[in-house]
Amino acid sequence: GQQVMQIPQYQHVQEGEDFTTYCNSSTTLSNIQWYKQRPGGHPVFLIQLVKSGEVKKQKRLTFQFGEAKKNSSLHITATQTTDVGTYFCAGQRGAQKLVFGQGTRLTINP
Amino acid sequence: DARVTQTPRDKVTEMGQEVTMRCQPILGHNTVFWYRQTMMQGLELLAYFRNRAPLDDSGMPKDRFSAEMPDATLATLKIQPSEPRDSAVYFCASGSGGNAFFGQGTRLTVV
C-alpha cells in the first residue's frame, strides 16, 4: 500500500536557525499537502502542491514538490518560537485516501 | 468561521463499554476522514467517506470499530467493546478538493 515517510522525526534548533523536513512517498502522488500541529492542537492545513517541480512560499516557509512527484520538502528560514510544532506531509493519489507521514517535531531554543 | 465540530472533546470510559464519537463536517464538504493519533503510530487513517459513501475503511479494526454517515451533517465512529489500547486522540476531518480541515479531536481514555 501507499506509504509516506518523513524525516527527521525530531529536530531541535536555536531560534534564528533554519529547519528542513523531508517527505518521501513509495508511489507517485497526484498532490502533496503540508500540515502543522501545535502541541495539544489539531493538524492545520498549510499548503497543497500539485505540479511536478513546484515551489511555493509562505513568508519564511518554502515548500517543494519533486520532479518525480514522489518527494517533497518544507524549509523554514530563520525559525521563530511560533514555529514550534509537528509538521506533517500527506500524500494523495487521485481520489484515494490522504496518507500522512509520521511528522517532524520541531522544538526551538529561544 | 466554518469548522469541523467533534463531540465529545474528552471521554473516559471503562474497558468493554461502547464509545460513540460524533463529527459535524463543514457544510458543503463532500469528503470526511477519521484519523487516530497516538505517540507511537502517529496519524492513522481509519476510514473515509465521499458523498457519504464509505470508500476505504481498511485501517479500521472491523471487529470492534464502525464508521457511518447517517446524513451529510453527521459522521460517527463507534467502538464496541472498547479496550485500553484504543486510548488515543480521534480526529475527524472534512474536505472537498483534496485537503482536509480537522476538528479539535476527541481524546479517548479507556481504563
Side-chain angles (χ1 to χ4, degrees), chain B residues 77-97:
Chain B
L77 180 66
K78 197 171 290 189
I79 309 175
Q80 167 63 19
S82 57
E83 297 180 1
R85 60 182 167 146
D86 300 328
S87 298
V89 179
Y90 290 81
F91 286 107
C92 173
S94 71
S96 62

Side-chain angles (χ1 to χ4, degrees), chain A residues 9-10 31 33 35 37 40-45 48 88 92 94-102 105, chain B residues 33 35 37 39-43 45 48 50 55-56 58 91 97-105 107:
Chain A
Q9 195 174 355
Y10 301 98
N31 70 78
Q33 301 168 24
Y35 292 76
Q37 184 176 21
H42 59 279
V44 174
F45 174 77
Q48 177 173 280
F88 293 95
Q92 191 168 41
Q96 292 184 30
K97 57 192 177 185
L98 193 58
V99 177
F100 279 77
Q102 288 290 88
R105 184 176 172 189
Chain B
F33 305 89
Y35 288 92
Q37 187 173 42
M39 287 294 292
M40 295 301 294
Q41 300 295 328
L43 270 167
L45 178 66
Y48 90 109
R50 179 159 291 134
L55 287 192
D56 190 326
S58 57
F91 286 107
N99 57 321
F101 292 84
F102 281 73
Q104 306 234 353
R107 181 176 298 276

Side-chain angles (χ1 to χ4, degrees), chain A residues 73-93:
Chain A
S73 66
L74 158 59
H75 179 83
I76 303 178
T77 305
T79 54
Q80 299 175 359
T81 54
T82 52
D83 296 326
V84 162
T86 301
Y87 292 84
F88 293 95
C89 63
Q92 191 168 41
R93 294 177 62 196

Side-chain angles (χ1 to χ4, degrees), chain A residues 40-87:
Chain A
H42 59 279
V44 174
F45 174 77
L46 294 177
I47 207 160
Q48 177 173 280
L49 304 171
V50 178
K51 298 177 187 174
S52 167
E54 189 170 14
V55 177
K56 285 188 176 180
K57 292 193 174 188
Q58 289 179 351
K59 297 182 181 177
R60 295 177 294 104
L61 277 61
T62 302
F63 304 85
Q64 248 180 324
F65 200 8
E67 293 290 339
K69 299 182 77 172
K70 293 178 76 172
N71 55 29
S72 182
S73 66
L74 158 59
H75 179 83
I76 303 178
T77 305
T79 54
Q80 299 175 359
T81 54
T82 52
D83 296 326
V84 162
T86 301
Y87 292 84

Side-chain angles (χ1 to χ4, degrees), chain B residues 12-89:
Chain B
V12 180
T13 191
E14 290 185 347
M15 183 172 68
Q17 296 296 307
E18 178 179 297
V19 174
T20 299
M21 290 169 269
R22 292 178 172 79
C23 168
Q24 182 176 3
I26 293 173
L27 191 64
H29 282 186
N30 64 350
T31 307
V32 173
F33 305 89
W34 281 105
Y35 288 92
R36 174 171 63 184
Q37 187 173 42
T38 60
M39 287 294 292
M40 295 301 294
Q41 300 295 328
L43 270 167
E44 300 174 274
L45 178 66
L46 297 176
Y48 90 109
F49 296 78
R50 179 159 291 134
N51 297 320
R52 293 179 54 204
L55 287 192
D56 190 326
D57 60 1
S58 57
M60 203 165 65
K62 302 289 191 307
D63 55 338
R64 298 183 300 109
F65 285 62
S66 62
E68 293 179 349
M69 275 201 78
D71 62 61
T73 64
L74 177 64
T76 61
L77 180 66
K78 197 171 290 189
I79 309 175
Q80 167 63 19
S82 57
E83 297 180 1
R85 60 182 167 146
D86 300 328
S87 298
V89 179

